[in-house]
Amino acid sequence: MNTMMVLATTKTIPDLLVFFVGAAMILVGAVGVIISRNPVHSALCLVLTLFGVAVLFIEQQADFLAVVQVIVYAGAIVVLFLFVIMFLGVDRTEELGEDRLRGQRPFAVALVLLIVASIVALGSEAKWSGGASSVVGPNQGPYQNVADLGKAIFTDYLFAFELTAGLVVIAVVGAVVLARRSADSNSDDADAQLLSAQGQPEGVDQ
Amino acid sequence: MSIPSSWYLILSAILFGIGIFGVLVRRNVLVMFMCIELMLNAANLSLVTFSRTLNDVGGQADVFFILVVAAAEVVVGLGIVVTIFRRRATANADEISSMKG
Amino acid sequence: MSLMNLLASGDPLYANGVNWVVILIVVIKVLLSFGICLVSVMLMIWGERKIISDMQSRIGPNRAGPWGMMQTLADGIKLFFKEDLIPDKSSRFVFKLAPFLSLVPALVVFAIVPLGGVVTIGGYTTEIQVADPPMGILLALALSAIGVYGVMLAGWSSGSKYPLMSSVRASAQMISYEAAMGMSVLTVVLVTSSLSTRTMVDSQGGGPWHWNVIRLGVVPFIIFLMAAIAETNRPPFDVVEADSELVGGFHTEYSSIRFALFYLAEFLNTVTMSAIMVTLFFGGPSGWIPPIPHLQWLFPILWFVGKTVAFCYLFIWLRGALPRARYDKLMELGWRRLIPLSLGWMLLVAGFLVSPWWGLGMIVAIVIGGVILGRAFKLGSELELSDTAVLPPVAKRIVPPELVRDLSDRDEKDESGS
Amino acid sequence: MAHFTTSSSFPYIVLLLLVPLLGSLAAVLLPKKHSETARWVGIGASVVTLGLVIAMTIAFQTTNGGYQFVSQHSWASELGISWISGIDGISLFMVGLTALITPIVLLGASEKKRTKSYVAWMLLLEFACIGSFVSMDLILFFLFFELTLIPSYFLIVGWGGPKRAAAATKFFIYTFAGSTVMLVGILYVAYQHHQQTNQLTFSLLDLMATRYSGVAGVLLLVAFTIGFAIKAPVFPFHTWSPDTYGEAAAGTSMMLAAILAKLGAYGMIRFDLSLFPHASSVVAPVMLTLATIGIIYGAIVACAQKDLKRLVAYSSLAQMGFIVLGTFALSEQSLTGAVFLMLSHGIITAAFFLLIGWIAQRRGTWQLDELKGLQGPAPILAALFTVVMLASIGLPGLAGFVGEYLILIGTFVTHQWWALVATFGVVFAAIYLLWAYQRSFQGKAEGANASVKDLTMAERAIVAPLILLIVLLGVFPKPFLDRITPSVDRTLNQITIVNCNPHLVCGSNLLGGHTGMGTQSEMGK
Amino acid sequence: MNLLASTIAMPNIDYLALSPEIILLVGATLVLLATSLVRGGMKRNMATGITLLLSVAALIASLLQWHRVSTQGATITIAKAISMDGFSAFIGVTIACSMILATLIGHVFLERERITTPEYHILSLVAASGAIVMAQANDLIVIFLGIEILSIALYVLVAFNPLRGESGEAALKYYVLGGFSSAVFVYGIALVYGATGSTNLGQISDFFAQNQLINTGLLYAGIALLLVGFGFKVAAVPFHVWTPDVYQGAPSPITGYMAAIAKVGGFAALIRVFIAAMGSQASTWQPIIYALAIATLLLGAIVALVQRDVKRMLAYSSIAHAGFILVGIEVGTLAGTSAALYYLFVYSIMTIGAFGIVTVLGGDGDGDHDLTRYRGLARRQPWLGGALVILLLAQAGIPFTTGFLAKLGVVSAAIQGGSWPLALVAMLSAGIGVAFYLRVAVIAVLPGQPEMDADTDTPASAVSAATSRSQTGLLLEESTTTQSEEAIVNVPLLGAIGIGLATLTTVVFGILPGPLLDFANSAAKIFQP
């Protein structure tokens, strides 16, 4: 009657399931991002990938990061992407057939294959790890995850944490500077822009 | 150990590769931004995996910072796109090239 | 193993390992909660129509079932059999996907809400709650962040202008209020020292004086309430579907069962948000338990239902009582009032948790910060209204002639709408 | 190394450098209107410099072949560079030449346009040249050596013929490219020294003790020599020089041909021979061949020139060939002759360009075709030109003779075949110079040529010192030779020691040389 | 479980170590705050003044650090995240000096373009703080954050000129490639973390000291990716593709500032990571840097030759400069590091100065940077033209300027370190470099109007002739321009001070190099065991 227990100790099935579901989400999403002709679809595929990554985070006991990943990436970053796409009305489809520079795409494929292959080869040569363990401190499971992480951030990474404050401030200032209309450029009305931009998404059937 | 860490790391390498490919090939800047996000996510996945194999919470802390940075970066990047859009209605990198080079 | 570890934490159900009975119990819990959701939505819709009718001196639904209670069901059946229209210009896949993106997060959030205490059935002890993940409340935030996709994509994929504007509004509004909401939740997390909803509820046991709404001062609750209303696009913050401005907002082009799903999601969100508010600030299922044997498990559930219904009523009452907020006012409220307030309050709570002196220091800091911010806001609004405005106010914006032509037939409508 | 150097209580060298530098600054800072004042400031500064040099020449100890008036200060010690400067018999006359030519240029070949900057650049050029001649630190030398480029560049660009900008760039790129190669050489020498003694220095005296393997020595010598050969110029690195001499203003040409060219030759004597005594003797045949080709080639091409300035440029090439011949013949007489010829050729070329400049002033051209019969209207000019020309040909009793004679004699002792071929150069020189003279001065003056005015008294006064020196050097060379010989001896000593006594080399820390079995076996054959 | 019960031991903080960043970052925030609290916003002069004060304060703070380090030795503080040593003090001084000059020159730009808001200054202050963080960082993630602070501020600054389309375009290019390189860099961090178990440079270095890595693959991959990331930041070939466009498109004062501090920060971090933390793995990274250096030196110099736009020319020249600095780093010895440091300082000053002149000459809208604009500059305005010529010649490496000593130091170190071919390539690049610097210098010196009455070309044919000549090689066209005498450009006082200071520094330290060389040398000593 204890098959699940057995499974639980020898791990595999649920973990494998979770891994493959997560991996499939990641890969399908990632490929979707780069082959979708419409940026909105790309953004949706990105969300899928982000979810997949979150799933794999949970699988590796980084629960806090998994949730933060969803909140920050899916909840803020991609929403921002979508907002800009819709706001600017740049959601028309892109012709993927044309190649700007002749041979650019095969070149990119070759380059990427080379990069990935060498990373994988080098990594497997090194058995994928080799560093000193628990330098900052061990991760002690789900209920301790936030506490461990919090402790690390407020001790070992205190300076980095403070820096992120500076980083966020500068990002806000920067965004405001960029988005601010200058008094004499006049075609920047938000609503007008929205209306003038073609509000129609171009579907697959176009 | 459950799933071997190499699976995750190979997955993340592939994700990284897809991201690079996207940046190289796609011409829509917004999609290029998204591909950069893919690359960052690949790095995050690697970090978390190493954090697990090394049993060290430091890698997760790194991911935390990278998340913040990604958010801040995107804000500015989109700001730039909006600025440019005011001038010409395109988000296509090829059309945004009045300079030679 | 890792996944099992995750499961094993929290709910005592998994403490002795996982077997078929455990799985059966979980399945039952899931089905039950799904059923509860649907039923509660049905009642919520009926209740809203009834109560609003009462407020407006109308009768409201009264034909289907006793007091018209089955009206919702009837509407549902009708919508189910109506023809499913998909606009020609729409992006089909996304158009079909959007309603589900709206509904699913609303359903899932309900899973982390503790409905009651603990029951023991046939030797298996379990919490009356579908799941109690360690990241509980963050999960709720994450899912509510996902909820916006349904609205945004629905608007965009319709291939029509008003829904698109609704999408843009929705995305901006969601992001704006999420920050304030997150920070008010953080105050709760600060006093509880845990992200698990169960722990939060437990820490509020022992009478109303221990409820977070009292412990934290009322402010975080108010902030959360306002943010929740904005997140669920309920009146008075329902600018996303403002029918006077945007026809019907994001779901203008939807019909039939897809429209029903949006409808369902909206009311389900209302119920869920009420439940979460109860969990966070009003002690969840905690309350006085009369000494009746064998029914001990029932009273917490009743308490919980009672509190939640009260909040549902609050949502309905707000809809009946308040006019819709103007979009720019809404954004201003979010950015200029709620975010600074919630941030300040969070610092205050954190300060007092460390020591009273820190708390007093925080008060001073907040007062100074408030003064500075107030001054900055004041100057900012002056600047906005002045002639040399960097950011010209809406009425003064200079619109290029070709756009004026485009817009001329809509100007009136816009003004009357706002 | 102490016995090689003698310091002096009076800071001759510092003053020698400061005076032109300050003069240059003063000229720049003068208000725009005072261009004439600027010229006089420049003349004043350069005359003071000349005075200092004369004083030094008198104070110079004739029997001492080492460095005198040495001043040494720490400078960029992190990079191993220090300020060491001093003067020996070889550099003394180079400094003297510089100090002599500059005031004459400013007096006789000044420019009417933008006089202020002209004067400033001239003085800066003088400063840089003197600096190069007195530097005893390799980097310091290089700094000054490079610094000469800037003023000469701007002088060429600023004043002269229509194609001057192209010429200037050609000049700059050529010489700069050469010196980059030299810099790598310098750095490698210092690196070798660092490896051997663990002390980072660029001081010439210290570096002389460095040993090199045979190949490295030769390569280094080549690196150095390319830099110098371009500057000199030596065949086949001369292609910039006719263009530049031809396009530059007369004053600039004087400086370039009389002084800067000597900088290259000086570099070879000072650095090639001192640092790489063994490699010098290995490479000598090649250099001699190049020099001889240069002599013959320069002379032949000079014959074909229709332009007086280019003619002098090619004749300079031939003369530089002689100097290089003397340098690498590696005998005492030839080296002394080379140094002496450097001095005398400097004076002769300066006089040539000065006179040509005056002709051009009067006639507006220096094309041989357009000049005819100047003898008639301008006898004094013709007479002076004759003297200079004869000196250049190497007529006994004039300056050119002593140098060429010593070189040929010295070369004949060690490398007779080259000496024999080089002798033809003298014959060719006689041909083209006399021919040029015949075409431009003799015959019947017509048109514009007939109305050429003779030299004014001022002009005669300006050119007089040059003519006097030409005669003096030819008639009474002893005081000069006395000062040159000891230094030449000292330079050659090392080469002799290295080449005659391999055992001594290996034990010698003092004079350096080379290491390794390979070199010794090379010695054996 | 209860966080309140267990207190966290906060790390010790040495505030002197943090002072430059704090001054710049907090100062920037305060300026921002003050702007929103003053009716009508802060006045331009006021903002410039405060920014100058802050920069000077940062300079003083860096010098104080230097004093502390030289008396009491280096410190590592805030949980080993930050190190205060001679190296960081030197870079701090460099950045503060760059900041001062850039502020002076930036003011000219702001005044001309009638930009009243102080964001320009705020962003440049923040960028400087990012660069200083990169120099001080003792942890890869802190370096990354420093890079991002620097980059984000620069992205915005590049897009700063609202009236020029190119500005936004340049920002976009910079952003895409910057983001890309950041992502690569982060992936590199991840792999290095996996290979060593920490992102802390001290820990990494300890790890190498205590362990002998048998399987180095992961480390190799990590190092390669980190280098790619750094390569983008410092514009090393082949990761330089963004440079010319961005330099050309950005507002000129920003270009100078960016060229200076982005490189300083990037190289500082590069030196710290590779020489300090991974010095023991030199055999791994040296060949990569070797190749990068050669490509950078050659491509930068050669492509610069054919540019017509002065900003593009300077962009390529800055690529070549990066090559020289890489040479110093490749050597990895004390001499090499110190030469690279010295070069960084010298380069920053020269570049900002040169771009200052470009700014002044850019005219309204900052769009006119064609070579013809510089014709006869030295005739019309001897001081401005003189400064330009000096700065250009200094970049070419002419004696008695800092540029010469910088090149000398690097090449000398390369030869001492046995990197022969590298030294030769560097010299070759310097030789080519002379040609293009000289070209601009000549044009500046030549008369504005042809002296000889040469045939008057039409402007179009003149330009095309000039272009064709520029492509065949050096152009020193004597008679192309037909425009009447160009107007005298007004050089505002602050701009004049900025350019003057840059020129003066270049010359004075060229003649009296002792103190600066000493400083660089002892700053580099920290990395020698």
Side-chain angles (χ1 to χ4, degrees), chain D residues 53 57 89-101 133 257-259 261-262 265-266 269 319-320 323 335-351 399-400 402-403 407 466 469-470 472-474 476-477 479-481 483-484:
Chain D
V53 175
T57 318
I90 300 171
S91 50
L92 176 67
F93 291 108
M94 296 299 107
V95 174
L97 185 64
T98 317
L100 173 70
I101 302 295
F133 286 128
I259 303 170
K262 303 303 167 296
Y266 167 81
I269 298 175
Q319 295 283 312
M320 291 315 294
I323 294 170
L335 192 53
T336 313
V339 177
F340 195 88
L341 187 58
M342 276 158 70
L343 176 62
S344 56
H345 173 245
I347 295 169
I348 292 167
T349 323
V402 182
I407 290 172
L466 295 178
L469 271 171
I470 288 175
L472 182 67
L473 284 170
F476 188 49
F480 301 96
L481 292 177
R483 286 169 170 78
I484 293 171

Side-chain angles (χ1 to χ4, degrees), chain C residues 81-102:
Chain C
F81 286 108
K82 278 184 89 166
E83 188 190 353
D84 180 19
L85 293 174
I86 295 180
D88 203 29
K89 279 193 161 182
S90 70
S91 174
R92 283 170 167 271
F93 176 73
V94 181
F95 188 82
K96 290 175 188 163
L97 181 70
F100 296 99
L101 283 179
S102 237

Side-chain angles (χ1 to χ4, degrees), chain E residues 321-340:
Chain E
H321 283 305
F324 279 97
I325 301 169
L326 281 175
V327 171
I329 294 172
E330 191 276 335
V331 178
T333 56
L334 172 62
T337 318
S338 104

Side-chain angles (χ1 to χ4, degrees), chain D residues 75-76 78-79 81 113-114 139 142-144 146-147 150 153-154 157 162 164-166 169 172-173 176 180 183-184 187-188 191 194 200, chain E residues 379 389 398-400 404 408-409 411-412 415-416 420 424 427 431 434-435 438 442 445-446 451-452 474 476 478 510-511 513 517-518 521:
Chain D
W75 191 48
E78 294 304 329
L79 295 174
I81 312 170
K113 273 188 307 173
R114 300 189 305 281
I139 292 291
F142 182 79
L143 285 174
F144 281 113
E146 286 295 284
L147 188 63
I150 298 171
Y153 176 78
F154 283 105
V157 166
R164 59 181 194 272
T169 309
F172 197 103
I173 305 255
F176 192 88
T180 53
L183 181 61
V184 174
L187 293 173
Y188 193 75
Y191 162 63
H194 181 67
L200 184 63
Chain E
R379 296 281 167 87
V389 170
I398 296 297
F400 295 105
F404 170 76
L408 175 74
V411 174
S412 158
I415 290 179
Q416 279 181 48
W420 254 105
L424 278 173
M427 294 314 299
V434 169
L438 210 58
V442 171
V445 171
L446 283 178
E451 285 177 351
M452 281 127 301
L474 306 162
L476 292 160
E478 186 81 0
I511 295 171
L517 282 171
D518 267 351
N521 201 43

Side-chain angles (χ1 to χ4, degrees), chain D residues 265-339:
Chain D
Y266 167 81
M268 288 185 201
I269 298 175
R270 169 69 78 237
F271 298 103
D272 284 3
L273 300 190
S274 303
L275 288 171
F276 319 107
H278 172 68
S280 296
S281 51
V282 172
V283 172
V286 180
M287 291 308 294
L288 290 174
T289 311
L290 287 180
T292 316
I293 295 176
I295 293 169
I296 302 299
Y297 172 83
I300 291 174
V301 179
C303 293
Q305 294 305 313
K306 291 178 178 155
D307 174 326
L308 258 182
K309 275 175 112 178
R310 288 180 79 91
L311 183 138
V312 178
Y314 279 106
S315 116
S316 275
L317 178 63
Q319 295 283 312
M320 291 315 294
F322 271 110
I323 294 170
V324 175
L325 190 71
T327 307
F328 281 93
L330 299 176
S331 76
E332 188 198 320
Q333 278 164 317
S334 70
L335 192 53
T336 313
V339 177

